[in-house]
């Protein structure tokens, strides 16, 4: 199959979802109304609640939700074949991810910018709120701990990416000052910023940065992880306009340029997909495609982490209600396009089926390495960009995606600790510095406590990410469904995807529990059981409320 045809069909389908399905949902179900003041205006504080240009906010939302996961998940899931991966990415984006993100932002915006955990308490009671916050905390812990490891490994594998990855912070800070302090023209600032980022990429290829194998008695990847969390801690305490917003915005533009280059190379080179459409020659011990496909590809089809970003930071920056459709739904489309690019790079970026099978020798192989190597080959063949520069561009793309998600994740984790302080009247937890130190401390505890001196503990808990993520998406849709039902709105557009996700994720969680038991992995067993119990309790509570509301509003 020609990859260019698959790419064009996928893009057209997602754009149709944005121009038609999202417009219908925004108007007839959510009832977006610009006359209603958003929390960014009614609760403006200049730190977290800041009215933001919708294009800038789209950049924040898109790059915050599109971490490394929409690359890792699809790059692993193609082992079952490229057709299931493409269908799940495209259909999931149109009918699930876009609706999930848009409705989560709307629900938070209509509830004074509250997080999804707090909204759960308002809608379903304190017990559900506590259980939701446990699941949210564990999900954020996984995301932050894993992405710290992923970024560190990428900078070690591709030292040419170090300067552009860290240099992007300086560019973002300057852009923030130009936009908000000096009120400079957005188009001019954006153009200069993107040029500066790509200049850094070129400089990176000339000046690779390699840390000593051991520093301060720690291996190089552990040192990178510590540096990353120090940065994330500082960034999470700064006003959003100073670094988070401009970093996400300019990275979003740079990343979209990277995707355009990759997609353009596919359209020019038109490489054939060498991987099987449906893989009947699976390596031994590969799990069943049902239900694992739907949790292996989470980000890129639908992701619960999006609900945390939507209600944690995005909803506090919406300038007017109609911006929700562009920021929320089109943000999900951006991530879907990234996931589609990851599928094509890892299936059409190799010369032969034998070469592809050499990469995918067991479940879990491929991942970001296959995306970078396969994508670099496509860029080289289609655009004539030499391999080292191509690899640097794609590595920087992946690292910036992961980095912006990590920035937002640590800030959200800080919010969770502060919410615990509010709920249980613990004044110390309400303080930003204390909450941030606890957020970073728990991530480092997992990284080094579970992984040892190299700090790889995040990868140990990664197998639970997909199921936890999809459960969080289902629970977010469940809360939105209750809110819509109370408003007398049609709920099938959210009820159908939440039911499907809940069934797939719980099924996968039970299968994983058996696998962890056979492996003797007690850390994952305990985490799996906690997540499963919390999910079952929230589900029972939620469906009880749904049934009661249904009787009241449907007679």
């Amino acid at each position: 199959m020609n990859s260019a045809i698959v790419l064009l069909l996928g893009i057209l389908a997602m754009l149709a979802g944005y121009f038609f399905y999202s417009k219908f949902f925004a108007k007839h179900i959510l009832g977006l109304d610009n006359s209603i003041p958003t929390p960014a205006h009614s609760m403006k504080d200049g730190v977290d609640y800041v009215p933001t240009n919708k294009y800038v906010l789209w950049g924040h939302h898109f790059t915050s939700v599109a971490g490394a996961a929409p690359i890792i998940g699809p790059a692993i899931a193609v082992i079952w074949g490229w057709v299931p991966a493409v269908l799940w990415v495209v259909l999931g984006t149109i009918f699930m991810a876009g609706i999930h993100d848009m409705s989560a932002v709307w629900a938070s915006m209509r509830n004074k910018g509250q997080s999804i955990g707090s909204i759960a308490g308002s809608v379903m009671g304190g017990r559900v709120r506590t259980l939701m916050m446990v699941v949210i905390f564990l999900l954020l812990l996984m995301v932050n701990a894993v992405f710290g490891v992923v970024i560190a490994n990428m900078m070690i594998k591709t030292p040419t990416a170090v300067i552009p990855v860290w240099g992007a912070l300086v560019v973002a800070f300057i852009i923030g000052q130009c936009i908000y302090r000096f009120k400079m023209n957005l188009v001019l600032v954006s153009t200069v910023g993107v040029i500066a980022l790509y200049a850094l990429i070129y400089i990176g290829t000339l000046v690779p940065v390699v840390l000593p194998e051991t520093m301060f008695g720690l291996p190089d990847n552990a040192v990178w992880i510590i540096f990353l969390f120090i940065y994330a801690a500082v960034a999470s305490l700064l006003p959003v306009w100073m670094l988070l917003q401009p970093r996400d915005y300019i990275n979003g533009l740079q990343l979209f340029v990277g995707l355009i280059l990759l997609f353009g190379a596919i359209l020019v080179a038109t490489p054939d997909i060498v991987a099987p459409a449906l893989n009947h020659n699976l390596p031994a011990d590969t799990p069943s495609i049902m239900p694992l496909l739907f949790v292996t590809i989470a980000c890129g089809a639908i992701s619960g982490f999006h609900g945390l970003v939507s209600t944690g930071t995005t909803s506090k920056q919406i300038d007017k209600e109609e911006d929700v459709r562009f920021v929320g739904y089109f943000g999900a489309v951006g991530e879907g396009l990234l996931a589609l690019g990851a599928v094509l790079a890892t299936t059409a970026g190799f010369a032969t089926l034998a070469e592809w099978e050499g990469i995918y020798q067991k479940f879990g192989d491929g991942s970001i390495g296959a995306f970078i190597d396969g994508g670099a080959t496509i860029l080289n063949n289609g655009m004539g960009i030499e391999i080292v520069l191509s690899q640097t561009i794609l590595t920087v793309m992946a690292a910036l995606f992961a980095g912006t998600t990590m920035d937002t994740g640590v800030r959200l984790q800080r919010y969770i600790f502060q919410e615990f302080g509010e709920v249980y009247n613990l004044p110390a937890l309400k303080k930003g510095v204390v909450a941030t130190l606890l957020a970073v401390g728990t991530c480092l505890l997992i990284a080094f406590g579970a992984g040892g001196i190299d700090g790889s503990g995040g990868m140990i808990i990664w197998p639970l990410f997909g199921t936890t993520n999809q459960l969080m998406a289902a629970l977010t849709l469940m809360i939105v469904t209750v809110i819509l039902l109370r408003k007398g709105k049609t709920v099938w557009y959210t009820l159908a995807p939440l039911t499907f996700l809940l069934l797939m994720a719980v099924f996968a969680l039970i299968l994983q529990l058996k696998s962890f038991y056979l492996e003797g992995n007690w850390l994952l067993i305990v985490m799996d059981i906690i997540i499963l119990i919390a999910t079952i309790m929230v589900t029972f509570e939620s469906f009880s409320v749904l049934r009661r509301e249904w009787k009241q509003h449907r007679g």
Side-chain angles (χ1 to χ4, degrees):
M1 183 68 176
N2 189 285
S3 59
I5 296 174
V6 176
L7 174 63
L8 289 173
L9 291 175
I11 292 174
L12 289 174
M14 291 187 205
L15 289 179
Y18 172 72
F19 285 112
F20 299 106
Y21 189 49
S22 75
K23 189 174 183 180
F24 164 82
F25 189 81
K27 180 179 180 180
H28 297 286
I29 307 301
L30 299 184
L32 298 180
D33 185 354
N34 284 346
S35 67
I36 300 175
T38 65
H41 290 280
S42 62
M43 302 174 67
K44 183 177 179 180
D45 64 4
V47 178
D48 295 317
Y49 293 84
V50 180
T52 305
N53 177 288
K54 70 177 183 179
Y55 299 105
V56 175
L57 186 54
W58 173 84
H60 157 71
H61 184 79
F62 166 52
T63 54
S64 291
V65 299
I71 297 174
I72 295 173
I76 291 174
V78 292
I79 197 168
W80 287 301
W82 66 266
V83 168
V86 167
L87 289 177
W88 175 226
V89 164
V90 173
L91 297 178
T93 296
I94 295 170
F95 297 107
M96 296 191 184
I99 297 301
H100 170 274
D101 286 22
M102 187 163 56
S103 58
V105 175
W106 167 82
S108 176
M109 192 177 58
R110 291 286 180 91
N111 285 274
K112 299 181 179 180
Q114 290 183 339
S115 71
I116 193 64
S118 296
I119 298 171
S122 303
V123 173
M124 300 182 195
R127 182 165 51 190
V128 172
R129 176 186 58 199
T130 301
L131 292 168
M132 284 279 287
M133 287 173 70
V134 169
V135 177
I136 291 168
F137 176 77
L138 291 175
L139 179 56
L140 289 171
L141 185 65
M142 293 177 203
V143 169
N144 294 331
V146 167
F147 284 3
V149 178
V150 168
I151 299 169
N153 289 342
M154 281 191 283
M155 286 191 288
I156 292 170
K157 180 183 177 183
T158 312
T160 54
V162 173
I163 285 180
V165 167
W166 289 98
L169 302 179
V170 178
V171 174
F173 181 82
I174 294 171
I175 285 174
Q177 300 299 309
C178 291
I179 294 175
Y180 287 100
R181 190 178 297 277
F182 302 115
K183 311 296 182 183
M184 294 177 65
N185 180 272
L186 182 62
V187 174
L188 174 63
V189 172
S190 303
T191 303
V192 173
V194 171
I195 292 172
L197 287 179
Y198 274 95
L200 286 171
I201 290 175
Y202 178 71
I203 293 170
T205 62
L206 301 177
V207 189
V209 176
V210 180
L211 291 183
E213 291 187 8
T214 304
M215 289 179 65
F216 316 116
L218 296 172
D220 51 359
N221 61 322
V223 174
W224 277 127
I225 290 169
I226 292 172
F227 284 165
L228 286 163
F229 275 108
I230 290 173
Y231 156 72
V234 173
S236 75
L237 291 168
L238 294 175
V240 290
W241 66 267
M242 190 173 290
L243 187 59
L244 183 69
Q245 267 188 12
R247 171 170 158 78
D248 290 353
Y249 170 64
I250 199 65
N251 283 351
L253 293 178
Q254 187 263 342
L255 299 168
F256 234 63
V257 171
L259 276 179
I260 290 170
L261 286 175
L262 179 61
F263 290 169
I266 290 173
L267 294 176
V268 171
T270 63
D272 287 332
I273 297 175
V274 299
L278 292 171
N279 193 1
H280 300 291
N281 187 31
L282 291 169
D285 300 324
T286 301
S288 170
I289 189 172
M290 288 288 291
L292 268 297
L293 171 68
F294 303 103
V295 298
T296 301
I297 301 179
C299 301
I302 181 171
S303 162
F305 182 74
H306 290 210
L308 305 188
V309 175
S310 297
T311 64
T313 57
T314 302
S315 64
K316 297 175 176 63
Q317 302 170 63
I318 292 287
D319 183 32
K320 54 182 183 292
E321 283 211 347
E322 288 184 0
D323 291 350
V324 169
R325 176 171 165 254
F326 180 79
V327 174
Y329 196 98
F330 198 64
V333 168
E335 187 181 63
L337 291 174
L338 174 62
L340 180 61
V343 171
L344 296 178
T346 54
T347 56
F350 300 94
T352 63
L353 175 60
E355 184 182 349
W356 181 84
E357 289 178 335
I359 299 295
Y360 287 87
Q361 296 186 24
K362 65 179 187 298
F363 183 74
D365 283 351
S367 194
I368 284 181
F371 168 75
I372 292 172
D373 293 341
T377 299
I378 292 173
L379 284 174
N380 179 252
N381 293 336
M383 294 292 188
I385 304 173
E386 62 104 16
I387 289 293
V388 173
L389 181 56
S390 296
Q391 289 175 331
T392 302
I393 290 172
L394 295 174
T395 300
V396 170
M397 273 182 62
L400 291 181
F401 271 126
T404 50
T405 299
M406 189 176 169
D407 286 0
T408 303
V410 171
R411 184 177 288 261
L412 293 175
Q413 214 169 351
R414 188 248 292 176
Y415 290 164
I416 291 296
F417 277 111
Q418 289 179 305
E419 285 189 23
F420 275 127
E422 293 285 347
V423 172
Y424 298 107
N425 194 26
L426 299 171
L429 286 185
K430 299 178 187 179
K431 298 178 180 178
V433 173
V434 174
T436 299
L437 289 175
L438 286 172
V440 171
T442 52
C443 292
L444 291 174
L445 182 63
I446 282 290
F448 290 95
I453 195 171
D454 65 351
S456 62
M459 302 312 297
I460 293 173
I461 62 175
W462 178 255
L464 272 175
F465 169 76
T467 47
T468 309
N469 205 15
Q470 301 306 63
L471 286 170
M472 191 66 238
L475 297 178
T476 299
L477 286 170
M478 195 173 292
I479 292 166
V480 170
T481 301
V482 172
I483 295 172
L484 290 174
L485 193 57
R486 287 181 175 173
K487 291 180 175 292
K489 301 287 187 178
T490 303
V491 298
W492 295 113
Y493 305 100
T494 54
L495 185 61
L498 88 81
T499 303
F500 174 79
L501 282 175
L502 198 60
L503 290 173
M504 292 298 104
V506 170
F507 184 19
L509 206 58
I510 293 171
L511 290 180
Q512 285 181 315
L513 185 60
K514 178 183 176 182
S515 174
F516 299 151
Y517 176 76
L518 294 175
E519 295 170 3
N521 193 327
W522 291 102
L523 173 63
L524 293 185
I525 289 172
V526 171
M527 291 182 68
D528 193 310
I529 291 173
I530 291 172
I531 295 166
L532 186 58
I533 291 173
T535 300
I536 291 172
M537 293 179 69
V538 171
T539 301
F540 283 152
E541 293 271 1
S542 301
F543 275 110
S544 175
V545 173
L546 272 175
R547 186 171 61 251
R548 184 170 64 249
E549 294 293 334
W550 187 275
K551 289 180 180 179
Q552 289 179 359
H553 290 86
R554 306 297 177 183

